[in-house]
Amino acid sequence: MTAASSASRRPRPKHSRLAWLALLLVAVATLAVIAIPVYLIMPFKSQTPRALDISFQLKRWSPSATALGLLATVALTIYLWRCCRWFKRTVLVLLIALAALLTWLARQNHFEWMFHPLPAAAFAKVDDATFVTDTDQVMTITVNDEAVAYPIRQMAYHHVVEDTVGGVPIAATY
């Protein structure tokens, strides 16, 4: 090795492999905190009480976990930056962008993005509701002597309908 080539070579941080491994683990962990609840609470998929509990716990922790992940990613990037070539620096910038995106997503209610609330519910009298069979399950509510029924088949897709029953605004969910 010549003196010129060793002078142009940047000094490698003492624990760079460990830092890269830590970056990978932080990226996987922050992605998991966001992705697992989305996977477990997918529309039209069977959901267990345990899966819902896990999803809501991760959703509760995700703002703090992703913020810590972003801070760790920035700190590790600063540690690794000066020794890296352009392609590794590109990876570092992309990891920061991913951590920032996940930090933003943790503060969104992405569960609402998966479900499509019924924007303008249309109702039919019982005799006119030919799209509901006698064997269909329905959710019913009665308020002030006014009764309405929401077919489960339709609620399974929309999950939420806003309505006024007996003069009282309600939100029916399934």
Side-chain angles (χ1 to χ4, degrees):
M1 188 184 297
T2 65
S5 65
S6 65
S8 66
R9 207 162 169 225
R10 296 178 187 134
R12 191 168 147 188
K14 190 174 183 180
H15 302 289
S16 67
R17 287 182 189 221
L18 189 59
W20 280 103
L21 178 62
L23 264 174
L24 177 65
L25 291 175
V26 166
V28 168
T30 54
L31 183 61
V33 166
I34 301 297
I36 289 172
V38 171
Y39 176 75
L40 292 176
I41 304 184
M42 236 185 261
F44 304 112
K45 187 177 155 232
S46 178
Q47 301 162 353
T48 65
R50 179 78 176 131
L52 291 173
D53 186 44
I54 290 169
S55 296
F56 288 126
Q57 287 295 332
L58 287 174
K59 181 66 177 152
R60 188 175 303 128
W61 297 339
S62 65
S64 299
T66 55
L68 289 172
L70 178 59
L71 289 173
T73 301
V74 169
L76 288 165
T77 297
I78 291 168
Y79 177 73
L80 291 168
W81 188 265
R82 62 185 174 91
C83 74
C84 294
R85 296 180 185 260
W86 70 269
F87 55 89
K88 286 187 177 180
R89 286 182 176 180
T90 303
V91 171
L92 291 171
V93 169
L94 290 174
L95 286 171
I96 288 175
L98 175 65
L101 175 66
L102 293 172
T103 302
W104 176 78
L105 276 172
R107 286 149 180 80
Q108 305 303 308
N109 190 354
H110 49 271
F111 296 121
E112 286 183 359
W113 300 348
M114 295 185 292
F115 304 117
H116 305 284
L118 192 58
F123 300 98
K125 294 187 183 283
V126 173
D127 297 334
D128 298 334
T130 58
F131 57 91
V132 180
T133 67
D134 291 340
T135 59
D136 283 346
Q137 293 181 340
V138 295
M139 293 176 17
T140 62
I141 184 170
T142 303
V143 178
N144 297 332
D145 295 326
E146 183 180 348
V148 294
Y150 306 101
I152 296 295
R153 185 170 18 97
Q154 292 175 337
M155 290 298 293
Y157 178 74
H158 294 288
H159 290 275
V160 178
V161 64
E162 293 179 357
D163 194 7
T164 302
V165 181
V168 177
I170 66 155
T173 64
Y174 174 78

